[in-house]
Amino acid sequence: MTSVSARMRWASRAQFFGSGFIFATWGVHIPTVKIHYGVDEAALGLAMLAAGVGALLGLTQASRWIGRHGARGTAGLCGAIYALLLAGLLAMPSYGALLGLLAVFGVLTGVFDVAINTEAAQLELRNGHPMMSGMHGMFSLGGMAGAVTGGAALAAGMTPQSHLTLVAATMALSIALSSRWMLPKEATTFTSTGDGFRLPHGALAILGVLAALGLIAEGAIYDWSVLYLKQELGSPQQQAALAYASFSAAMAATRFAGDAMRARFSPALLLRGSAWLAAASMTLVLLADEPWLALIGFAGVGAGFANVVPILFAASARVPGVEPARGIAAVSAAAYLGFMAGPPVIGFLAQVSSLTAALYVVVAFAAALAASARYANPA
């Protein structure tokens, strides 16, 4: 069995950081995209749905690609192209062309996400102690950095297109280079690769549903928090970007402490407490009439959701009779469907009611996670 070197750990962390940074950059520019193409919330939700459909198509092939090429090759190629597509978000000739770009964006995002989580699960198993929370902490740290630098770039007068192009080039290079030091191909290939995508069943299905609930709520914050602060509370876009930054910063800090928490508390207890914190904090956001109070609430939501995915992904790698890599890929796929489905659902609900009312979905799903936390205990 390949030992886990410091270089391998940092390579995986770089992949998660890059994923968070890219996603934050998209989140910061959602209001820009809305204005640039002259669309309303429903059309913006449809654009996010296009990315979700693309992710679904990618997820049907993610296990096959990883099984054939390993997490390293899959993450390096898909992640670099995924980053480069950022540069096209404001360069499409029409709204219809944007939908096509976001569909491809979704395909690559889904495959990249499964690949890096498969890598992280294998590193944790080989290392012999919790590592998954720390890896996801790097995603949140990347999200915080992407949001802060995005807001700073806009405040400094950098054009949105220049900012997107700079981030695209930098992240593509970082992901491509760091993938060279991930686990070798044979460490993350499956013993059988011909099955393609199969929906999880049994214990994996339960874990997948719970992860999807968490990521529907988390995805809603990533994609709608900036617009919420700008549109519902009247904040300028530079200040509104802090909604994403406060959420990601709190999530990162909690995830970096999460491995120690996972070693001390049972998965069910930690998941239950985390979910109730997220529900209470999101309620504060939606009842607040001052931006600073909403920012505190977004931080609480980030802390609450921080360990949901690491707990559930780690559990999926320990399901009896299932290869760890296939288990994490299956639950990642189900969870990612939730991650991509959440934002467009919020968009359509916002169109028929209001963005504030639509975001109560986050409260409801966090409460559902708390009520179902017992299923997170290892078999």
Side-chain angles (χ1 to χ4, degrees):
M1 178 179 288
T2 305
S3 61
V4 178
S5 67
R7 181 175 286 184
M8 289 175 182
R9 291 193 295 271
W10 279 107
S12 188
R13 288 168 184 150
Q15 300 289 310
F16 276 90
F17 180 90
S19 180
F21 201 103
I22 294 166
F23 208 83
T25 301
W26 157 237
V28 165
H29 284 285
I30 283 175
T32 311
V33 168
K34 183 175 184 287
I35 294 170
H36 181 80
Y37 292 98
V39 298
D40 58 17
E41 282 83 357
L44 196 58
L46 182 61
M48 295 173 189
L49 182 60
V53 172
L56 175 59
L57 294 175
L59 291 170
T60 63
Q61 297 300 317
S63 293
R64 189 189 301 274
W65 293 354
I66 296 166
R68 184 174 301 151
H69 305 293
R72 178 167 65 181
T74 305
L77 178 62
C78 292
I81 300 173
Y82 161 51
L84 290 173
L85 288 181
L86 276 177
L89 287 175
L90 299 178
M92 294 297 99
S94 66
Y95 171 72
L98 174 68
L99 294 181
L101 178 87
L102 287 174
V104 178
F105 191 77
V107 170
L108 296 170
T109 305
V111 176
F112 181 58
D113 188 70
V114 173
I116 63 176
N117 276 287
T118 298
E119 171 85 1
Q122 284 289 357
L123 289 176
E124 178 168 291
L125 288 167
R126 292 162 185 264
N127 206 44
H129 60 78
M131 293 178 62
M132 185 71 81
S133 291
M135 293 298 180
H136 282 262
M138 293 301 294
F139 176 88
S140 300
L141 186 62
M144 178 185 67
V148 170
T149 57
L154 292 173
M158 179 179 285
T159 67
Q161 183 60 59
S162 296
H163 177 243
L164 287 168
T165 301
L166 177 62
V167 171
T170 303
M171 289 297 107
L173 182 63
S174 172
I175 289 170
L177 291 178
S178 61
S179 68
R180 298 175 57 195
W181 293 287
M182 292 168 67
L183 285 167
K185 173 184 173 181
E186 61 272 13
T188 51
T189 53
F190 306 139
T191 57
S192 60
T193 62
D195 295 330
F197 178 76
R198 293 184 298 175
L199 290 173
H201 60 277
L204 283 178
I206 295 173
L207 292 172
V209 169
L210 294 179
L213 287 176
L215 284 183
I216 286 173
E218 187 177 327
I221 301 301
Y222 280 124
D223 278 355
W224 291 104
S225 60
V226 174
L227 187 62
Y228 175 82
L229 217 62
K230 181 180 180 182
Q231 181 173 288
E232 306 294 291
L233 298 184
S235 300
Q237 187 168 346
Q238 299 94 309
Q239 183 187 51
L242 295 177
Y244 193 112
S246 64
F247 173 80
S248 295
M251 181 171 274
T254 307
R255 280 177 168 170
F256 286 129
D259 289 326
M261 295 168 68
R262 288 174 56 212
R264 181 173 181 180
F265 301 107
S266 73
L269 180 61
L270 184 56
L271 180 59
R272 185 176 297 112
S274 298
W276 281 127
L277 173 61
S281 298
M282 192 65 202
T283 301
L284 172 63
V285 169
L286 297 173
L287 294 179
D289 55 5
E290 293 290 340
W292 66 267
L293 193 56
L295 289 175
I296 292 174
F298 278 124
V301 176
F305 281 124
N307 285 305
V308 170
V309 168
I311 289 169
L312 297 173
F313 280 14
S316 71
R318 301 192 301 269
V319 174
V322 179
E323 290 175 305
R326 192 173 289 281
I328 193 71
V331 172
S332 294
Y336 199 76
L337 290 178
F339 192 62
M340 298 306 294
V345 168
I346 297 297
F348 287 119
L349 291 175
Q351 184 68 18
V352 300
S353 55
S354 69
L355 185 55
T356 298
L359 285 172
Y360 272 102
V361 167
V362 175
V363 178
F365 284 177
L369 268 173
S372 307
R374 66 185 183 278
Y375 294 111
N377 279 328

